[in-house]
Amino acid sequence: MFYWVAWHADPSKGIPQEEWRRFCAATVGVDLDENYRKKRNLENRYLQDREAMQRGDWTGIQGIPAQDMAMWESMGRSPTAARIIRLERSRVAQFRRMMVAAAKKFQEGARPSAPPSRAPRT
């Protein structure tokens, strides 16, 4: 479920609710069912209009909230904190191994080396 709240302190300056719902593609009976469940969802690819995309509409999905939900829901599973920590630890361990190997080579008399610079030389 997605809730979108907009208001203005001065009632004469706000946007009428029905107009805002049309803009957001959140009109009950058109974009939402009678229980306010969205009709655009992952299963129907958010009713993406490929022809609209060819005409220049970036996403082909009507309504900013539906575009946001399409992005959130189609990203797939997010990695768990434990998995992220394991990856970071393995990277740190790999870096340490590289540094120890470089130090041993230096003790044996090898000159230190650096990765080639990508900056243009003048």
Side-chain angles (χ1 to χ4, degrees):
M1 180 58 69
F2 181 83
Y3 296 97
W4 188 287
V5 179
W7 72 92
H8 194 284
D10 182 350
S12 67
K13 292 186 178 181
I15 181 172
Q17 183 178 7
E18 286 309 310
E19 189 176 332
W20 181 247
R21 285 187 173 281
R22 276 192 300 280
F23 172 77
C24 290
T27 302
V28 178
V30 177
D31 308 294
L32 305 171
D33 69 13
E34 64 278 356
N35 295 312
Y36 292 85
R37 286 189 298 254
K38 57 191 165 91
K39 291 186 177 180
R40 290 172 179 81
N41 56 54
L42 185 60
E43 290 177 357
N44 61 25
R45 300 181 60 90
Y46 303 91
L47 303 175
Q48 188 176 43
D49 184 346
R50 297 291 183 154
E51 291 176 11
M53 292 172 73
Q54 290 175 348
R55 291 189 305 268
D57 184 303
W58 187 255
T59 65
I61 299 172
Q62 189 179 5
I64 294 170
Q67 292 171 15
D68 288 348
M69 287 181 275
M71 187 258 321
W72 299 331
E73 294 173 354
S74 65
M75 289 179 5
R77 287 182 53 189
S78 24
T80 63
R83 183 169 183 266
I84 293 169
I85 291 169
R86 282 195 306 273
L87 287 171
E88 292 303 316
R89 284 182 181 164
S90 70
R91 291 178 182 141
V92 169
Q94 180 182 9
F95 176 75
R96 287 180 178 162
R97 285 191 298 271
M98 290 170 52
M99 296 309 295
V100 168
K104 285 181 181 177
K105 285 184 181 179
F106 180 73
Q107 284 179 331
E108 295 168 356
R111 291 187 50 151
S113 63
S117 172
R118 294 179 192 241
R121 296 176 192 245
T122 56

